[in-house]
Amino acid sequence: MKRKITLKQIAKELDVSISTVSKSLRNSLEIGEETRLKVQAFAKFYNYKPNNIALSLKNRKTKTIGIIIPEIVHHFFSTVINGIEHVANENGYSVIICLSDDSFDKEVLNMEMLANGSIDGFIMSLSKETQFKADFHHITEVIDQGMPVVMFDRVTNEVLCDKVIIDDKLAAYEAVQSLIDKGRKKIALVTTVDYVSVGKLRTDGYVKALLDNEIPFDENLIIKIEDVDTCEITIGKLLEDKAIDAVFAVNELFAVTIIKTANKIGLNVPKDLAVIAFTDGIISKYSTPTITTVSQSGIKMGNKAAKMLIDRLESEDEDEDENYKTEVIETHLIERESTN
Amino acid sequence: MKRKITLKQIAKELDVSISTVSKSLRNSLEIGEETRLKVQAFAKFYNYKPNNIALSLKNRKTKTIGIIIPEIVHHFFSTVINGIEHVANENGYSVIICLSDDSFDKEVLNMEMLANGSIDGFIMSLSKETQFKADFHHITEVIDQGMPVVMFDRVTNEVLCDKVIIDDKLAAYEAVQSLIDKGRKKIALVTTVDYVSVGKLRTDGYVKALLDNEIPFDENLIIKIEDVDTCEITIGKLLEDKAIDAVFAVNELFAVTIIKTANKIGLNVPKDLAVIAFTDGIISKYSTPTITTVSQSGIKMGNKAAKMLIDRLESEDEDEDENYKTEVIETHLIERESTN
DNA sequence: CTGAAAGCGCTTACAG
DNA sequence: CTGAAAGCGCTTACAG
């Protein structure tokens, strides 16, 4: 076992000072050619690589980005991570990932843990519980300490920072409009509980699309689901009682459940019932029938978020705060079999 | 903006030495009660938290685990990460994640990057290219430097280290046996290219099951797919020409593609064709028909891998090397609609 | 051209 | 009971 070699050891072996070694390796012109080459050769031979931790302490930056997300076994979030990771890597950053499991306490704990010097900045999406409690002190605190934060997807207006989102309301509007354009008259909405910010916005878009088309808005056609695994009955009732001809689901899990339920009670999708889902994922692509979705490019969101964070980290002028931006990522409708 | 406070600043404010502050905060009995409480109160008020980087440098351990996986937008891998993250967190570790994108070079680069002090140990699954080249020097190098490595799923016998795997051969055997038990006679195998270690093992299990049941083994019933997106034709041919009544697919993407292709050419699953997939994921659960799978608990693999790594990191006796273990995680068949 | 010193933020053995 | 010193592994302004 040959432990990693340090400057100190090289200095000792070569009988020069640590400073000389350090400068030689950084190709400083201060050092004489001969010494420099000798040191470099030796270092190369022993495969010297500077210790990241020491550099971090010295430079007071870690070149790592902290990511805090609700869950990782989730197509959209893993896609965002992918997007972040690539931009981060290209710029010499690593990513350290913590999961909040949609818990406020875990989110706070993880942020505090990382904020104590481990990272240079955060990219995060709020946990459900945080959105429910509307308590963001842990985030403002971190920002107050001068650590930049970029929020994506599940964001809040109550924190001033960079954000990257999609226009949930507009995207929902367009999705519902597309159903209307295809002649659907009675369109239900299957969504999440209200405190999830994006759920709320998508509902707004749905309502607006109906009203703009002079379709009466019926509150009974909106159902809010807390837990996917126990929603079949609720959905079944919606389909049987309300005689709807289309449904806009706020995520693909809801959509596929709707389709399966529809099949069970003898409804044909898309003939009897058109289905559109928000968030394009793997299920929509492989479901039968395949599902028309609003694609929300996680990769792009991740890329953008990473870019914004790194830009802020590397901009010299520290005092340029307050000019926070909110980037809106384009969405588009991917037409598949579930709408005809 | 109030930057994080340091020991030095507290010492200055309170007009005591840094040592005194440090000891007070660690509740050292060396320090007089009065001073101790005063320091603690002050620190609490200013929300002092020790700097992780400084601690890492001092303690020569970072309390973070490096994870290197081929991709993250992948149900199985994200599930493993989830499993790792939870055990890590419980034990006060963070996880830093790098993606190899199935590229050898990225895998090497990322490992070198993290090995320079950023982490205490690795948990990894080999990239396809690494398996293809069978070049593992970057891994043995890291191990030589005294940094523990735990490999999972895509492992190799050529590196001595802890491993966590499933018994791919046995699981495949059982899956095929279950098809045979249901009266299927002509069973095809849809698998990946050979250098992917798990693909090879699953093929072995398939062959063994056939032979044990005195079913003639026909090489033409095995097809190897490199790219999912372009395999429909190959699969179509298999289904049309070979008059098979069951297929064992090495992953769920292949399985769902097989089902869709079967439907197109008028075959009913499961009546005309039974389908079993390896690796239980979200597609199998929501496909129509739902797909019978071999479940390979990523969570458990992640849990186990993290536990093994942390145990090794925290075992005092440094010289206990060489007693590497390979843990085998149980699999089981989840029966769904695609087999009758 | 080379090296000693200070410092990043901490801990701890040792003096006083 | 308190503090100065050394050290984790590095960089860099400053002396010589």
Side-chain angles (χ1 to χ4, degrees):
Chain A
M1 186 158 97
K2 35 169 195 169
R3 279 234 124 76
K4 276 197 123 34
I5 197 168
T6 66
L7 288 190
K8 199 175 178 181
Q9 290 165 51
I10 298 180
K12 194 170 167 193
E13 287 303 322
L14 260 35
D15 209 35
V16 293
S17 76
I18 295 177
S19 331
T20 302
V21 177
S22 175
K23 285 174 190 158
S24 299
L25 294 179
R26 320 198 92 235
N27 255 318
S28 161
L29 299 172
E30 273 187 86
I31 305 297
E33 169 121 8
E34 195 188 354
T35 319
R36 190 151 42 87
L37 294 179
K38 184 180 64 176
V39 171
Q40 287 177 355
F42 189 91
K44 178 151 194 196
F45 182 73
Y46 282 99
N47 194 25
Y48 170 80
K49 293 276 165 49
N51 179 303
N52 291 150
I53 296 292
L55 288 179
S56 295
L57 186 59
K58 181 75 195 162
N59 301 333
R60 300 153 115 257
K61 55 185 180 187
T62 60
K63 285 285 208 169
T64 107
I65 293 174
I67 302 180
I68 312 235
I69 50 170
E71 41 176 339
I72 195 167
V73 186
H74 187 295
H75 189 266
F76 172 67
F77 284 123
S78 60
T79 283
V80 175
I81 294 181
N82 199 19
I84 296 172
E85 212 265 352
H86 281 96
V87 172
N89 248 253
E90 277 166 18
N91 290 276
Y93 284 77
S94 302
V95 304
I96 181 161
I97 296 180
C98 287
L99 309 179
S100 66
D101 293 332
D102 271 319
S103 140
F104 175 77
D105 290 341
K106 270 204 80 178
E107 184 175 294
V108 172
L109 236 50
N110 281 326
M111 282 196 80
E112 286 177 351
M113 180 166 173
L114 296 189
N116 296 324
S118 303
I119 60 161
D120 295 339
F122 283 102
I123 296 178
M124 68 182 301
S125 191
L126 295 169
S127 82
K128 274 187 199 160
E129 210 186 336
T130 305
Q131 294 203 119
F132 179 63
K133 298 180 79 149
D135 180 349
F136 309 109
H137 76 274
H138 52 303
I139 305 173
T140 48
E141 214 157 77
V142 155
I143 295 173
D144 270 0
Q145 288 167 7
M147 182 167 283
V149 172
V150 176
M151 305 206 346
F152 72 89
D153 196 53
R154 278 146 59 163
V155 306
T156 174
N157 287 327
E158 293 181 40
V159 174
L160 290 177
C161 66
D162 290 321
K163 286 161 198 165
V164 18
I165 54 171
I166 58 165
D167 190 334
D168 282 282
K169 184 171 171 182
L170 177 64
Y173 183 94
E174 290 175 350
V176 174
Q177 182 66 54
S178 85
L179 289 169
I180 295 169
D181 291 345
K182 284 175 179 145
R184 305 292 171 162
K185 307 281 185 213
K186 201 164 176 195
I187 303 169
L189 169 67
V190 176
T191 182
T192 54
V193 284
D194 253 351
Y195 55 78
V196 177
S197 56
V198 294
K200 179 86 177 58
L201 291 166
R202 291 168 195 176
T203 303
D204 292 348
Y206 160 81
V207 173
K208 184 161 191 306
L210 294 185
L211 297 182
D212 282 5
N213 288 274
E214 284 158 8
I215 294 178
F217 158 60
D218 177 356
E219 210 167 305
N220 295 314
L221 297 188
I222 298 187
I223 66 179
K224 295 178 185 171
I225 289 175
E226 187 123 25
D227 179 19
V228 207
D229 293 326
T230 60
C231 64
E232 271 204 35
I233 299 164
T234 329
I235 287 177
K237 254 198 237 150
L238 173 75
L239 298 182
E240 292 194 313
D241 300 353
K242 309 293 183 193
I244 58 178
D245 58 8
V247 48
F248 171 47
V250 112
N251 63 49
E252 53 168 17
L253 231 49
F254 291 171
V256 74
T257 309
I258 290 163
I259 291 177
K260 283 185 174 278
T261 311
N263 285 339
K264 262 184 212 156
I265 62 182
L267 294 175
N268 177 281
V269 176
K271 213 163 101 358
D272 306 321
L273 184 76
V275 176
I276 287 194
F278 220 98
T279 313
D280 186 48
I282 198 130
I283 294 177
S284 302
K285 201 167 153 192
Y286 291 103
S287 151
T288 308
T290 54
I291 305 173
T292 296
T293 58
V294 175
S295 98
Q296 165 190 24
S297 172
I299 300 266
K300 275 191 203 153
M301 289 189 95
N303 288 160
K304 194 72 198 174
K307 199 164 168 351
M308 287 173 93
L309 183 64
I310 292 173
D311 279 354
R312 199 166 278 278
L313 289 173
E314 305 200 334
S315 70
E316 299 303 317
D317 31 341
E318 293 275 346
D319 49 12
E320 50 135 8
D321 335 51
E322 300 301 308
N323 58 359
Y324 294 124
K325 288 196 212 85
T326 294
E327 295 275 352
V328 179
I329 301 291
E330 296 252 307
T331 58
H332 62 278
L333 214 56
I334 301 182
E335 304 261 4
R336 295 211 184 89
E337 296 162 1
S338 67
T339 55
N340 54 0
Chain B
M1 187 159 96
K2 36 169 194 168
R3 277 235 125 74
K4 275 197 130 22
I5 196 167
T6 65
L7 288 190
K8 199 176 179 180
Q9 290 166 51
I10 297 180
K12 194 170 169 193
E13 288 303 323
L14 259 36
D15 209 34
V16 292
S17 76
I18 295 177
S19 330
T20 301
V21 176
S22 175
K23 286 174 190 159
S24 298
L25 294 178
R26 319 198 92 233
N27 255 317
S28 162
L29 300 171
E30 272 188 87
I31 304 297
E33 168 120 8
E34 197 187 351
T35 320
R36 190 152 41 89
L37 294 179
K38 184 180 64 177
V39 171
Q40 287 177 356
F42 190 90
K44 180 153 194 194
F45 182 75
Y46 282 99
N47 193 26
Y48 170 79
K49 293 276 165 49
N51 179 303
N52 291 151
I53 295 294
L55 287 179
S56 294
L57 186 59
K58 181 75 195 163
N59 301 331
R60 302 154 113 255
K61 55 185 178 188
T62 59
K63 286 284 208 170
T64 107
I65 293 173
I67 302 180
I68 312 235
I69 50 171
E71 42 176 339
I72 196 167
V73 186
H74 187 295
H75 189 266
F76 172 66
F77 285 122
S78 61
T79 281
V80 174
I81 294 180
N82 199 19
I84 296 172
E85 213 265 353
H86 281 96
V87 171
N89 248 253
E90 276 166 19
N91 290 276
Y93 284 77
S94 301
V95 303
I96 180 161
I97 296 179
C98 288
L99 309 179
S100 66
D101 293 333
D102 270 319
S103 139
F104 175 77
D105 290 341
K106 269 204 80 178
E107 185 175 292
V108 172
L109 236 51
N110 281 326
M111 281 197 81
E112 284 177 352
M113 179 165 174
L114 296 189
N116 298 323
S118 302
I119 60 161
D120 296 340
F122 283 103
I123 296 177
M124 69 183 299
S125 192
L126 296 169
S127 81
K128 275 188 198 158
E129 209 187 336
T130 306
Q131 295 203 118
F132 180 63
K133 298 179 80 150
D135 180 349
F136 310 109
H137 77 274
H138 53 302
I139 304 174
T140 49
E141 214 157 76
V142 155
I143 294 175
D144 270 1
Q145 289 167 7
M147 182 166 284
V149 172
V150 176
M151 308 208 335
F152 72 90
D153 196 54
R154 277 148 57 165
V155 306
T156 173
N157 286 327
E158 293 180 40
V159 175
L160 290 176
C161 66
D162 290 320
K163 287 160 199 166
V164 16
I165 53 171
I166 58 164
D167 190 334
D168 282 282
K169 185 172 169 182
L170 177 64
Y173 182 94
E174 290 175 350
V176 174
Q177 183 66 53
S178 85
L179 290 169
I180 295 169
D181 290 346
K182 281 173 180 149
R184 305 290 170 164
K185 307 282 187 212
K186 202 164 174 195
I187 303 169
L189 169 67
V190 176
T191 183
T192 53
V193 283
D194 254 351
Y195 55 79
V196 176
S197 57
V198 294
K200 179 83 177 60
L201 290 167
R202 291 170 195 175
T203 303
D204 292 347
Y206 161 82
V207 173
K208 184 163 191 304
L210 294 185
L211 298 182
D212 281 4
N213 287 273
E214 284 158 7
I215 294 179
F217 157 61
D218 177 357
E219 211 167 306
N220 295 315
L221 297 188
I222 299 187
I223 66 179
K224 294 178 186 172
I225 289 175
E226 188 123 23
D227 179 18
V228 207
D229 293 326
T230 59
C231 64
E232 271 205 37
I233 299 164
T234 329
I235 288 177
K237 253 198 236 151
L238 173 75
L239 298 181
E240 292 194 313
D241 300 352
K242 310 292 182 190
I244 58 177
D245 58 9
V247 50
F248 171 47
V250 112
N251 64 49
E252 53 169 15
L253 231 50
F254 291 172
V256 74
T257 309
I258 290 163
I259 291 177
K260 284 186 174 276
T261 311
N263 285 339
K264 261 184 214 156
I265 62 182
L267 295 175
N268 177 280
V269 176
K271 214 164 103 353
D272 306 322
L273 184 75
V275 176
I276 288 194
F278 220 99
T279 314
D280 187 47
I282 199 132
I283 294 177
S284 301
K285 202 168 153 189
Y286 290 102
S287 152
T288 307
T290 54
I291 304 173
T292 296
T293 58
V294 175
S295 98
Q296 165 191 25
S297 172
I299 300 267
K300 275 191 202 154
M301 289 188 95
N303 288 161
K304 194 72 198 174
K307 199 163 168 351
M308 287 173 93
L309 183 64
I310 292 173
D311 279 354
R312 198 167 279 278
L313 289 173
E314 305 200 333
S315 70
E316 298 303 317
D317 33 339
E318 293 275 347
D319 49 12
E320 50 134 9
D321 335 51
E322 301 301 309
N323 59 359
Y324 294 124
K325 288 195 212 82
T326 295
E327 295 275 352
V328 179
I329 301 291
E330 297 253 306
T331 58
H332 61 278
L333 214 56
I334 301 183
E335 304 261 4
R336 295 209 184 89
E337 298 163 0
S338 67
T339 54
N340 55 358

